[in-house]
């Protein structure tokens, strides 16, 4: 099995768009699935290395899910796994996650993980970013909300050039970024 790429950023850090970029512009077979993370976590709990290897052999990259929480076990099994950290502005991340949960509640979808607990979110944010710093990972922000590099650094991180150039998303044209700015403004009023 080739060493997969695991994106260890939190959800709502541009992972859905990044999945499309990997597939469309790099021809990397990427999976954006919380379910796969859950399956791998269960395989690790059961000490079933064969099952984990099978689960991680179907795609070249995995996004979404709390991969960073099981990273020590993954690194024991796959010491050469490639890791990339995704991030975005903290306040915009909180607002995007809140909006995502509220949107899902309106349409009647309330998965177990979708609870609003800002204290827990802050702890998760800090733990995730501390781990990325400890591992000396480059943090990428494809939303354009921070000073971290964006999609322009992907060729260096992936070790390959895109077959076609992905378009850079400008902050002012991002619906999520505009929503973030509106919610932030309203919460400060």
């Amino acid at each position: 099995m080739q060493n997969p790429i695991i994106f260890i950023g939190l959800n709502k850090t541009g992972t859905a768009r990044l999945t499309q970029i990997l597939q469309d512009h790099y021809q990397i077979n990427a999976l954006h699935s919380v379910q796969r993370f859950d399956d791998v976590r269960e395989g690790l709990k059961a000490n079933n290395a064969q099952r984990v290897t099978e689960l991680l052999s179907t795609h070249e990259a995995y996004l979404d899910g709390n991969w960073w929480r099981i990273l020590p076990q993954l690194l024991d099994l796959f010491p050469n796994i490639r890791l990339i950290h995704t991030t975005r502005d903290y306040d915009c991340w909180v607002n995007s996650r809140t909006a995502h949960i509220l949107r899902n509640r309106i349409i009647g979808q309330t998965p177990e993980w979708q609870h609003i607990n800002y204290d827990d979110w802050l702890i998760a944010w800090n733990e995730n970013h501390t781990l990325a710093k400890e591992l000396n990972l480059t943090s990428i922000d494809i939303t354009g909300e921070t000073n971290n590099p964006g999609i322009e650094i992907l060729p260096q991180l992936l070790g390959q050039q895109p077959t076609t150039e992905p378009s850079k998303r400008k902050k002012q044209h991002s619906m999520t970024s505009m929503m973030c700015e509106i919610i932030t403004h309203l919460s400060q009023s």
Side-chain angles (χ1 to χ4, degrees):
M1 175 182 100
Q2 179 185 357
N3 289 310
I5 305 165
I6 304 288
F7 288 81
I8 67 163
L10 298 163
N11 64 351
K12 307 311 291 176
T13 57
T15 54
R17 181 164 184 259
L18 189 53
T19 301
Q20 282 306 123
I21 289 171
L22 293 173
Q23 292 171 344
D24 295 348
H25 302 285
Y26 289 88
Q27 279 61 58
I28 290 176
N29 187 9
L31 180 65
H32 184 263
S33 170
V34 173
Q35 182 60 48
R36 180 57 52 99
F37 161 76
D38 290 339
D39 293 343
V40 169
R41 182 182 57 197
E42 291 306 312
L44 289 170
K45 282 183 185 176
N47 289 321
N48 189 340
Q50 180 179 351
R51 175 72 177 138
V52 172
T53 300
E54 289 169 5
L55 288 166
L56 292 180
S57 66
T58 61
H59 293 78
E60 297 169 272
Y62 297 89
L63 300 93
D64 226 14
N66 291 322
W67 294 99
W68 58 280
R69 291 195 187 269
I70 61 172
L71 201 52
Q73 299 96 316
L74 278 178
L75 288 171
D76 284 345
L77 282 177
F78 308 103
N80 296 320
I81 203 166
R82 296 185 291 164
L83 303 170
I84 299 175
H85 184 246
T86 57
T87 190
R88 71 185 297 182
D89 174 75
Y90 175 76
D91 290 328
C92 289
W93 173 74
V94 167
N95 291 336
S96 177
R97 191 166 183 185
T98 302
H100 178 82
I101 290 169
L102 295 176
R103 231 181 2 258
N104 283 346
R105 285 183 185 168
I106 289 169
I107 61 173
Q109 295 178 345
T110 53
E112 183 180 311
W113 66 270
Q114 291 195 359
H115 65 283
I116 297 174
N117 185 324
Y118 298 115
D119 293 334
D120 285 351
W121 292 1
L122 179 59
I123 291 168
W125 176 271
N126 287 331
E127 288 176 355
N128 178 270
H129 284 75
T130 298
L131 178 63
K133 285 180 185 170
E134 288 172 357
L135 295 173
N136 200 29
L137 298 179
T138 299
S139 296
I140 63 169
D141 174 10
I142 69 163
T143 67
E145 297 164 349
T146 69
N147 291 327
N148 287 308
I151 59 173
E152 70 278 358
I153 199 167
L154 281 176
Q156 176 186 338
L157 296 175
L158 298 173
Q160 71 184 67
Q161 292 297 317
T163 54
T164 58
E165 282 299 318
S167 60
K168 292 183 181 179
R169 180 177 281 179
K170 294 183 166 94
K171 184 176 177 183
Q172 65 268 25
H173 296 296
S174 165
M175 182 58 75
T176 302
S177 295
M178 287 189 292
M179 285 176 43
C180 174
E181 290 173 16
I182 291 168
I183 292 170
T184 301
H185 176 74
L186 292 174
S187 66
Q188 294 172 351
S189 299

